Amino acid sequence: MNIEQKLYDSALNLLKHRYPKGDGYAAAVRTESGKILTSVPPDTKNDSLNVCIELGAYLEAFKLDEAITHSLCICRKDEDSEVIILSPCGICQERLVFWGGDVKAAISTKDNKLIFKTIRELMPHHWSVANGEAL
């Protein structure tokens, strides 16, 4: 089984376990050493306190001092709905820049296929080029 499929399966297992009924969200990242870290967003009573689904896994990788190589995020509307692959939002793309332009992230597609693109591909005109840096 390839890395991308392992990430998807890890996130899907977490989603099904953590959210057996109703809507659900889960993320999985792979680190340079091969660890797979997963996360879910915390429930909040105030929507302005929400954080991205994958943030917990990003912070765990940072705590472990391990570089992220792959990131994936999924969601569903209810237990009978299709599981949808979500591209990282702009904030999470910026978070992944910390580990460089070669980090691969799963992206949303019309046919919901498991496809990964590098952060460099997702952000070809990243602002860091103005500083003489390149992803």
Side-chain angles (χ1 to χ4, degrees):
M1 183 182 311
N2 66 28
I3 293 167
E4 290 88 356
Q5 190 63 52
K6 280 184 184 178
L7 277 179
Y8 183 85
D9 292 348
S10 295
L12 185 60
N13 288 336
L14 175 59
L15 184 148
K16 288 179 177 180
H17 175 76
R18 178 64 176 77
Y19 305 99
K21 299 281 184 200
D23 62 353
Y25 314 87
V29 303
R30 182 184 182 273
T31 67
E32 219 166 28
S33 72
K35 285 186 180 93
I36 294 180
L37 308 172
T38 60
S39 62
V40 296
D43 292 331
T44 63
K45 293 183 188 260
N46 180 338
D47 280 345
S48 66
L49 300 175
N50 282 338
V51 296
C52 297
I53 300 162
E54 56 270 62
L55 182 58
Y58 294 173
L59 293 171
E60 184 71 12
F62 185 78
K63 181 186 88 176
L64 296 171
D65 197 23
E66 293 212 24
I68 290 176
T69 62
H70 294 74
S71 179
L72 173 135
C73 191
I74 58 174
C75 71
R76 68 158 196 239
K77 290 183 181 181
D78 62 50
E79 66 274 12
D80 297 319
S81 297
E82 178 182 21
V83 173
I84 304 295
I85 299 165
L86 300 172
S87 294
C89 72
I91 293 170
C92 282
Q93 288 181 41
E94 284 291 341
R95 289 174 176 145
L96 290 170
V97 166
F98 176 80
W99 291 287
D102 292 327
V103 174
K104 293 183 178 180
I107 60 164
S108 302
T109 64
K110 287 182 181 181
D111 56 359
N112 201 38
K113 295 286 185 199
L114 186 58
I115 296 173
F116 283 73
K117 299 281 185 178
T118 66
I119 292 301
R120 187 175 295 109
E121 289 174 296
L122 294 178
M123 303 175 77
H125 306 286
H126 189 260
W127 59 265
S128 61
V129 93
N131 296 332
E133 304 168 16
L135 282 181

